[in-house]
Amino acid sequence: MDGFISPGADRASRVRSAVERHLSNASASWQGGAAFGVIFSRKPGVFIDEAASIASLHVSMCVANAPGITEGSLDLVVDGQPCQVTGAVTPDASGWATFPIVFLN
């Protein structure tokens, strides 16, 4: 059955595409490839001392857009800013993962 896509896989693909179009608030690219939508969040910082805190940055995305992305990856660019993946990239059954990042200088 060359080229056969199960109805469930086709529906999942349409849902992922709809989420990217309607809920994404940032654009990303992987290894210099085409841009795709991601959900970017900046959560209140981790308290360091009286003068500083570090914001917690997370990206939610369909990992099919970034084959091979793992903790430590440096090839993700979010809204034009290079970043490093700083936590595990564990996709759910639909292929979406939420993971922490830090922006690189």
Side-chain angles (χ1 to χ4, degrees):
M1 294 186 137
D2 264 330
F4 176 75
I5 297 177
S6 76
D10 183 50
R11 280 190 294 274
S13 176
R14 286 195 316 265
V15 168
R16 283 191 299 272
S17 293
V19 167
E20 285 178 20
R21 280 191 314 275
H22 298 292
L23 297 180
S24 64
N25 62 358
S27 178
S29 65
W30 173 246
Q31 297 179 334
F36 53 90
V38 298
I39 300 169
F40 173 73
S41 63
R42 181 184 307 263
K43 298 179 180 159
V46 176
F47 186 72
I48 302 298
D49 62 28
E50 293 80 21
S53 67
I54 298 174
S56 174
L57 309 176
H58 288 81
V59 171
S60 295
M61 60 180 265
C62 177
V63 295
N65 290 318
I69 192 168
T70 61
E71 183 174 354
S73 293
L74 298 170
D75 296 325
L76 183 67
V77 176
V78 176
D79 280 348
Q81 294 188 288
C83 59
Q84 179 176 7
V85 177
T86 59
V89 179
T90 307
D92 62 17
S94 71
W96 277 80
T98 299
F99 50 87
I101 63 165
V102 294
F103 288 125
L104 301 173
N105 296 336

